[in-house]
Amino acid sequence: MRVSAKSSLNIYRAMEKITKNSVLIRTTEAKKQMIRSFPFIRLLVLDFALSIYLWYKWKPDWDYTVDIFWKQTGHVADNLNGTITWLRSNPAGLKLNTPVNDTLAWFFTYHIYLWTTFIGFLRSDAFFRFITYSLIGGVSTFSSIVYDFSQIFFLHFNCFDAYATKLCYLCYYTLTVLWSLVRGKKWNPLRERMDTVILDTRQQFLATSLFVILLFILPTIFVYFVVFRSLRLAVSALQTVIYFFATWPFQLFALEKYFKEKYGKQKTSEGNDAASTE
């Protein structure tokens, strides 16, 4: 009984997290709350009209669309593998640490393989038909589903950036600690200040050796951090555009309301001033 209750709680937490992160669910709930507003209804009608126009312009060919998508997916995986191969060949004359470079390259290559295997489970015509038929709900609904799918499709970029960021931060933090230790200082967390510490010869040698090793490893890790952070920013820019189309009725509604309140108050204040002068 306890196991079932615990599993139910985990399922509830997972569904709650999905609900908070899913743009489709959030936009659908927001539409339900704002459907009573006539200006927002006009925007929804325009949203449906744009979806109908897009449907007749697109006229999706299922086989062609699915084939193009999986070709592009293969190109993404090939380009990532090519990027890692490029990093292993000391790009731009950088003398990267060979053992660390090979280890990181193997690690990220294996994760690319895991990502392609995971995406392979989504290789279904029904899945793509569901995305395309979401145009019935409007351009915003279609863009919301595309955005949620992009969260899964670009998951490896987020993971790569997280791995490289954590590793780079860990290396940098360890270097700062070792640099203080080499100079005979250490951080006292109780008093929140730097205290003096006396090291013997072996401790000084060990701290200096670790500092030098990490100092020569840091450029290699930093190169991976810069590359994967750049890829993450490019993906974020693309997702920002998709998110705009997913939420454009709400943004236009808020913008229209803002201008009405701003210029409406100015007009009323000008009218009151004119009446007072008369």
Side-chain angles (χ1 to χ4, degrees):
M1 185 69 180
R2 293 180 180 177
V3 176
S4 61
K6 186 176 181 180
S7 61
S8 300
L9 181 61
N10 292 333
I11 293 173
Y12 173 76
R13 289 177 178 176
M15 293 302 297
E16 185 179 5
K17 188 175 182 180
I18 292 173
T19 303
K20 290 181 179 179
N21 295 330
S22 175
V23 177
L24 176 63
I25 296 176
R26 285 188 284 140
T27 53
T28 303
E29 292 178 352
K31 288 177 182 178
K32 290 180 181 179
Q33 295 176 0
M34 300 179 65
I35 196 66
R36 299 177 181 178
S37 175
F38 178 73
F40 187 74
I41 293 177
R42 289 191 288 108
L43 293 175
L44 286 182
V45 172
L46 179 60
D47 188 38
F48 285 116
L50 290 175
S51 66
I52 295 173
Y53 175 78
L54 182 61
W55 177 272
Y56 282 102
K57 277 291 184 181
W58 183 14
K59 294 181 180 179
D61 184 0
W62 307 114
D63 296 333
Y64 176 76
T65 304
V66 172
D67 185 60
I68 288 296
F69 173 79
W70 286 112
K71 283 183 179 179
Q72 295 300 323
T73 303
H75 289 328
V76 170
D78 293 339
N79 289 332
L80 279 176
N81 286 320
T83 301
I84 293 177
T85 303
W86 174 69
L87 290 175
R88 296 184 67 177
S89 61
N90 295 325
L94 297 175
K95 299 299 181 181
L96 303 180
N97 187 280
T98 303
V100 177
N101 195 4
D102 292 339
T103 302
L104 292 176
W106 174 84
F107 175 79
F108 287 115
T109 302
Y110 179 70
H111 275 71
I112 293 172
Y113 166 75
L114 292 179
W115 171 73
T116 53
T117 305
F118 170 72
I119 290 296
F121 289 107
L122 300 177
R123 192 163 189 167
S124 173
D125 291 342
F127 181 76
F128 289 95
R129 288 177 183 270
F130 170 73
I131 294 178
T132 308
Y133 280 129
S134 64
L135 277 171
I136 300 174
V139 174
S140 59
T141 303
F142 173 75
S143 301
S144 300
I145 294 179
V146 172
Y147 182 87
D148 290 338
F149 175 70
S150 69
Q151 294 285 80
I152 302 174
F153 185 76
F154 295 119
L155 179 64
H156 56 301
F157 287 102
N158 298 331
C159 293
F160 291 169
D161 179 65
Y163 297 152
T165 302
K166 291 293 184 181
L167 190 59
C168 190
Y169 174 76
L170 178 63
C171 188
Y172 172 76
Y173 176 76
T174 308
L175 275 174
T176 56
V177 173
L178 290 174
W179 174 244
S180 300
L181 194 61
V182 167
R183 294 183 296 133
K185 296 181 180 180
K186 69 173 183 178
W187 175 255
N188 190 341
L190 297 178
R191 298 184 178 181
E192 296 184 353
R193 68 180 187 183
M194 297 294 294
D195 292 340
T196 303
V197 60
I198 300 176
L199 302 177
D200 57 21
T201 306
R202 289 178 297 179
Q203 292 174 340
Q204 187 74 24
F205 174 76
L206 181 61
T208 306
S209 300
L210 291 176
F211 176 79
V212 172
I213 291 172
L214 286 178
L215 185 63
F216 283 102
I217 287 177
L218 182 60
T220 303
I221 299 175
F222 183 72
V223 168
Y224 277 85
F225 166 74
V226 170
V227 170
F228 289 119
R229 177 53 61 90
S230 301
L231 293 175
R232 170 73 180 277
L233 291 176
V235 170
S236 298
L238 177 61
Q239 288 182 330
T240 301
V241 175
I242 300 174
Y243 186 81
F244 170 77
F245 286 104
T247 58
W248 75 268
F250 306 100
Q251 297 183 24
L252 287 183
F253 179 76
L255 191 63
E256 182 181 359
K257 188 175 181 180
Y258 169 76
F259 281 115
K260 280 185 178 180
E261 292 179 355
K262 182 178 180 180
Y263 293 105
K265 290 181 179 179
Q266 290 182 357
K267 289 182 179 179
T268 53
S269 62
E270 290 176 358
N272 294 331
D273 293 338
S276 62
T277 54
E278 291 177 358

